[in-house]
Amino acid sequence: MCFAVHQLIEAVVWARLAGNVSADGGEAAVLACVLIAPPVLPTLLPLSVLLLEPRGARLREAPFVALGLVVSAYLGAAVLSRPVRVIEHPHGLEYVTAVDNGDGWAVLSIVAVLGSALLSGYRSIVAFGGLNLVGIVTVLVLYAETFDSLWCVYAAAASVLVLLHMTRRRRLPDPHRLHGIPLRPLVGS
């Protein structure tokens, strides 16, 4: 859902660049975009996976949440420290922030976000992580400068797997639904 909201807000940024949105509205959308993707997702996604897992399996997710908190704190501070510049490219937007060593922080963010999903005990969450790994590599190879913009489009589409997981989980008997017991764990707990 977060990826989809990010894309809706980015549509306002595109409209700002086309002159169809006021400068104030456009600047608010730019700030919202850079506050959602870089600083929020590295903590939100691993925390969400941790909370989905059965209690005994949560320990394997904790390092990703801790890494996500560190990444989120730094990126949030960097984004808020200076104005954000937006560069329009043919297939996406590039957000220029005050992040030092952006590639290193991007790798740490990817590890936090996808590591937790790839180690989940649920096949649909692992598939979500795997599809996003493919999406990340594809976007980095083809459109590195517009990475944040394009990866969120891909991740929003892949999030259908999370929706399917939650729908399926709701139909499970009480021990599975209420206590987070996976039907067939991929990784031993």
Side-chain angles (χ1 to χ4, degrees), residues 9-66:
I9 295 170
E10 191 168 80
V12 176
V13 176
W14 278 101
R16 171 193 168 249
L17 293 172
N20 298 325
V21 172
S22 71
D24 290 342
E27 290 304 315
V30 167
L31 186 58
C33 270
V34 296
L35 284 175
I36 290 174
V40 171
L41 294 178
T43 298
L44 180 64
L45 267 67
L47 181 61
S48 298
V49 173
L50 180 139
L51 294 173
L52 280 174
E53 295 295 320
R55 283 189 173 84
R58 290 180 179 175
L59 191 56
R60 72 173 171 250
E61 302 294 339
F64 299 107
V65 175

Side-chain angles (χ1 to χ4, degrees), residues 143-185:
Y143 305 103
E145 70 276 350
T146 61
F147 173 76
D148 284 343
S149 179
L150 293 176
W151 177 57
C152 282
V153 171
Y154 187 87
S159 294
V160 169
L161 290 170
V162 176
L163 175 64
L164 292 173
H165 170 81
M166 296 308 291
T167 302
R168 182 173 171 230
R169 187 174 175 184
R170 186 176 301 151
R171 295 180 187 149
L172 296 175
D174 283 346
H176 297 288
R177 186 170 45 86
L178 298 177
H179 302 293
I181 300 167
L183 290 176
R184 287 173 265 156

Side-chain angles (χ1 to χ4, degrees), residues 8-151:
L8 290 173
I9 295 170
E10 191 168 80
V12 176
V13 176
W14 278 101
R16 171 193 168 249
L17 293 172
N20 298 325
V21 172
S22 71
D24 290 342
E27 290 304 315
V30 167
L31 186 58
C33 270
V34 296
L35 284 175
I36 290 174
V40 171
L41 294 178
T43 298
L44 180 64
L45 267 67
L47 181 61
S48 298
V49 173
L50 180 139
L51 294 173
L52 280 174
E53 295 295 320
R55 283 189 173 84
R58 290 180 179 175
L59 191 56
R60 72 173 171 250
E61 302 294 339
F64 299 107
V65 175
L67 176 60
L69 286 167
V70 170
V71 171
S72 292
Y74 172 77
L75 293 178
V79 162
L80 293 173
S81 68
R82 281 191 247 147
V84 177
R85 216 167 29 99
V86 180
I87 301 171
E88 184 176 352
H89 293 275
H91 300 289
L93 300 176
E94 177 182 359
Y95 297 94
V96 181
T97 64
V99 174
D100 292 323
N101 190 15
D103 292 343
W105 287 103
V107 168
L108 292 174
S109 179
I110 290 166
V111 169
V113 168
L114 296 186
S116 62
L118 291 171
L119 290 181
S120 174
Y122 297 104
R123 293 177 194 265
S124 53
I125 303 302
V126 173
F128 169 77
L131 284 173
N132 273 291
L133 182 58
V134 169
I136 284 172
V137 170
T138 302
V139 170
L140 280 174
V141 168
L142 298 176
Y143 305 103
E145 70 276 350
T146 61
F147 173 76
D148 284 343
S149 179
L150 293 176
W151 177 57

